[in-house]
Amino acid sequence: MISSTARAHGAFFVLLFDEMKNPVSVQKITEAGAGYYLLNGNVPVYLKLSTKRKGPWYFNFFHSHQLAQQKLFEQYGECFTCLVCGQDGIVGLSMGEFREVLDANFEEQECVAVRRKLKTMYEIRGRDGALSRRVSRGAVFEKLKNRIQEIEEER
Protein backbone atom coordinates (compact mmCIF):
# COMPACT_ATOMS: atom_id res chain seq x y z
CA MET A 1 0.00 0.00 0.00
CA ILE A 2 1.28 3.45 -0.90
CA SER A 3 1.16 5.89 2.02
CA SER A 4 -0.30 9.38 1.70
CA THR A 5 3.14 10.77 2.53
CA ALA A 6 4.72 8.86 -0.36
CA ARG A 7 1.99 10.09 -2.72
CA ALA A 8 2.48 13.69 -1.56
CA HIS A 9 6.27 13.54 -1.92
CA GLY A 10 5.87 11.96 -5.36
CA ALA A 11 3.48 14.73 -6.41
CA PHE A 12 5.98 17.34 -5.25
CA PHE A 13 8.76 15.82 -7.34
CA VAL A 14 6.58 15.36 -10.44
CA LEU A 15 5.58 19.03 -10.27
CA LEU A 16 9.21 20.05 -9.70
CA PHE A 17 10.49 17.98 -12.63
CA ASP A 18 7.79 19.42 -14.90
CA GLU A 19 8.92 22.96 -13.98
CA MET A 20 12.65 22.39 -14.48
CA LYS A 21 14.26 22.56 -17.90
CA ASN A 22 17.40 20.67 -16.89
CA PRO A 23 17.61 17.35 -15.02
CA VAL A 24 17.53 17.54 -11.22
CA SER A 25 19.20 15.03 -8.92
CA VAL A 26 17.48 14.12 -5.65
CA GLN A 27 19.00 12.58 -2.53
CA LYS A 28 17.40 11.82 0.82
CA ILE A 29 19.09 13.52 3.75
CA THR A 30 18.58 10.65 6.17
CA GLU A 31 20.62 12.16 9.00
CA ALA A 32 18.21 15.13 9.19
CA GLY A 33 15.12 12.91 9.54
CA ALA A 34 12.09 12.05 7.44
CA GLY A 35 11.05 14.38 4.64
CA TYR A 36 14.44 16.03 3.98
CA TYR A 37 15.86 15.98 0.46
CA LEU A 38 18.81 17.55 -1.32
CA LEU A 39 18.34 18.82 -4.87
CA ASN A 40 21.40 18.86 -7.16
CA GLY A 41 23.62 18.23 -4.15
CA ASN A 42 23.18 21.75 -2.76
CA VAL A 43 19.54 22.83 -2.28
CA PRO A 44 17.87 21.30 0.82
CA VAL A 45 14.09 20.86 0.88
CA TYR A 46 11.92 19.79 3.81
CA LEU A 47 8.51 18.36 2.90
CA LYS A 48 5.61 18.30 5.39
CA LEU A 49 2.13 16.97 4.70
CA SER A 50 -1.33 17.77 6.00
CA THR A 51 -3.83 15.18 4.82
CA LYS A 52 -6.88 17.38 5.42
CA ARG A 53 -8.95 17.77 2.27
CA LYS A 54 -9.93 21.40 2.95
CA GLY A 55 -8.11 24.16 4.79
CA PRO A 56 -6.99 25.46 7.05
CA TRP A 57 -4.06 23.06 7.05
CA TYR A 58 -1.90 22.78 10.16
CA PHE A 59 1.75 21.72 10.29
CA ASN A 60 3.58 20.92 13.53
CA PHE A 61 7.26 21.62 13.87
CA PHE A 62 9.08 20.01 16.73
CA HIS A 63 12.29 21.42 18.16
CA SER A 64 14.28 18.73 16.33
CA HIS A 65 12.72 19.70 12.97
CA GLN A 66 13.73 23.32 13.37
CA LEU A 67 17.25 22.37 14.49
CA ALA A 68 17.66 20.20 11.38
CA GLN A 69 16.36 23.01 9.16
CA GLN A 70 18.72 25.53 10.76
CA LYS A 71 21.68 23.17 10.37
CA LEU A 72 20.90 22.68 6.67
CA PHE A 73 20.49 26.44 6.23
CA GLU A 74 23.90 27.06 7.79
CA GLN A 75 25.50 24.34 5.68
CA TYR A 76 23.93 25.22 2.29
CA GLY A 77 22.88 28.87 2.65
CA GLU A 78 19.18 28.05 2.27
CA CYS A 79 16.59 25.46 3.27
CA PHE A 80 13.14 25.43 1.68
CA THR A 81 10.17 24.25 3.71
CA CYS A 82 7.40 22.87 1.49
CA LEU A 83 3.97 22.41 3.02
CA VAL A 84 1.76 20.00 1.08
CA CYS A 85 -1.83 21.09 1.71
CA GLY A 86 -3.83 17.90 1.13
CA GLN A 87 -4.68 17.72 -2.56
CA ASP A 88 -5.03 21.50 -2.86
CA GLY A 89 -1.45 22.56 -3.51
CA ILE A 90 2.03 23.14 -2.12
CA VAL A 91 3.28 26.19 -0.27
CA GLY A 92 7.04 26.70 -0.31
CA LEU A 93 8.89 28.98 2.08
CA SER A 94 12.51 30.05 1.98
CA MET A 95 14.23 30.11 5.37
CA GLY A 96 13.75 33.89 5.55
CA GLU A 97 10.01 33.50 4.96
CA PHE A 98 9.82 30.60 7.39
CA ARG A 99 11.46 32.73 10.10
CA GLU A 100 8.70 35.32 9.65
CA VAL A 101 6.17 32.79 10.95
CA LEU A 102 8.39 30.79 13.34
CA ASP A 103 11.35 32.73 14.71
CA ALA A 104 14.78 31.37 15.66
CA ASN A 105 13.66 30.82 19.27
CA PHE A 106 12.68 27.15 18.92
CA GLU A 107 9.95 25.92 21.25
CA GLU A 108 9.38 22.22 21.92
CA GLN A 109 6.51 22.26 19.41
CA GLU A 110 5.20 25.05 17.18
CA CYS A 111 2.50 25.19 14.52
CA VAL A 112 2.11 26.82 11.12
CA ALA A 113 -1.37 27.31 9.66
CA VAL A 114 -2.05 27.68 5.94
CA ARG A 115 -5.37 29.08 4.72
CA ARG A 116 -6.74 29.72 1.27
CA LYS A 117 -10.14 31.00 0.33
CA LEU A 118 -11.63 29.96 -2.99
CA LYS A 119 -9.68 31.39 -5.94
CA THR A 120 -7.13 33.19 -3.76
CA MET A 121 -3.51 32.64 -2.77
CA TYR A 122 -2.31 31.00 0.44
CA GLU A 123 -2.05 32.90 3.72
CA ILE A 124 0.53 31.58 6.19
CA ARG A 125 0.58 32.19 9.95
CA GLY A 126 2.74 30.75 12.67
CA ARG A 127 3.22 31.08 16.38
CA ASP A 128 5.55 34.05 15.93
CA GLY A 129 3.79 35.98 13.15
CA ALA A 130 2.30 35.93 9.70
CA LEU A 131 4.00 35.95 6.33
CA SER A 132 3.92 39.52 5.04
CA ARG A 133 2.40 38.49 1.70
CA ARG A 134 0.29 35.71 0.24
CA VAL A 135 1.87 32.85 -1.72
CA SER A 136 0.68 31.22 -4.93
CA ARG A 137 0.63 27.47 -5.58
CA GLY A 138 3.46 27.45 -8.10
CA ALA A 139 5.74 29.92 -6.34
CA VAL A 140 7.79 27.22 -4.62
CA PHE A 141 8.91 25.69 -7.90
CA GLU A 142 9.96 29.09 -9.22
CA LYS A 143 11.96 29.69 -6.01
CA LEU A 144 13.66 26.31 -6.29
CA LYS A 145 14.43 26.81 -9.97
CA ASN A 146 15.92 30.24 -9.24
CA ARG A 147 18.04 28.92 -6.36
CA ILE A 148 19.39 26.03 -8.46
CA GLN A 149 20.24 28.41 -11.34
CA GLU A 150 21.87 30.86 -8.92
CA ILE A 151 24.17 28.15 -7.57
CA GLU A 152 25.02 26.88 -11.06
CA GLU A 153 25.97 30.42 -12.14
CA GLU A 154 28.29 30.77 -9.13
CA ARG A 155 30.26 27.72 -10.25
Side-chain angles (χ1 to χ4, degrees):
M1 184 169 174
I2 301 171
S3 71
S4 56
T5 300
R7 281 194 306 276
H9 289 203
F12 171 83
F13 287 113
V14 165
L15 294 169
L16 174 68
F17 298 151
D18 285 348
E19 182 70 28
M20 300 299 291
K21 292 178 183 168
N22 296 327
V24 177
S25 68
V26 178
Q27 295 173 257
K28 283 181 82 171
I29 308 174
T30 53
E31 62 273 9
Y36 291 91
Y37 298 92
L38 194 60
L39 306 179
N40 281 7
N42 50 28
V43 179
V45 174
Y46 180 37
L47 301 179
K48 299 253 326 158
L49 168 66
S50 174
T51 57
K52 280 183 66 181
R53 194 174 68 78
K54 295 172 97 179
W57 298 274
Y58 297 99
F59 301 88
N60 287 319
F61 290 85
F62 293 102
H63 188 265
S64 59
H65 298 157
Q66 293 193 64
L67 283 177
Q69 288 170 284
Q70 186 63 34
K71 184 178 177 183
L72 290 170
F73 175 74
E74 290 168 1
Q75 183 175 355
Y76 295 100
E78 186 58 273
C79 180
F80 291 91
T81 302
C82 299
L83 308 174
V84 182
C85 302
Q87 295 179 8
D88 191 75
I90 301 170
V91 172
L93 304 173
S94 66
M95 186 58 93
E97 292 168 327
F98 186 73
R99 287 290 165 239
E100 284 185 46
V101 296
L102 294 182
D103 65 18
N105 181 21
F106 309 151
E107 303 294 329
E108 192 55 39
Q109 180 177 346
E110 298 183 271
C111 182
V112 171
V114 179
R115 299 176 192 280
R116 186 179 78 80
K117 294 179 183 172
L118 189 62
K119 298 182 182 181
T120 64
M121 293 193 288
Y122 293 102
E123 182 181 330
I124 299 105
R125 294 187 179 280
R127 175 187 170 114
D128 301 311
L131 193 62
S132 58
R133 58 184 176 70
R134 292 178 182 228
V135 179
S136 70
R137 286 182 182 168
V140 62
F141 302 109
E142 193 65 32
K143 290 176 194 176
L144 290 169
K145 184 168 68 172
N146 290 342
R147 179 65 179 165
I148 289 169
Q149 287 175 345
E150 180 183 299
I151 290 170
E152 287 175 359
E153 289 172 3
E154 289 176 1
R155 289 182 177 177

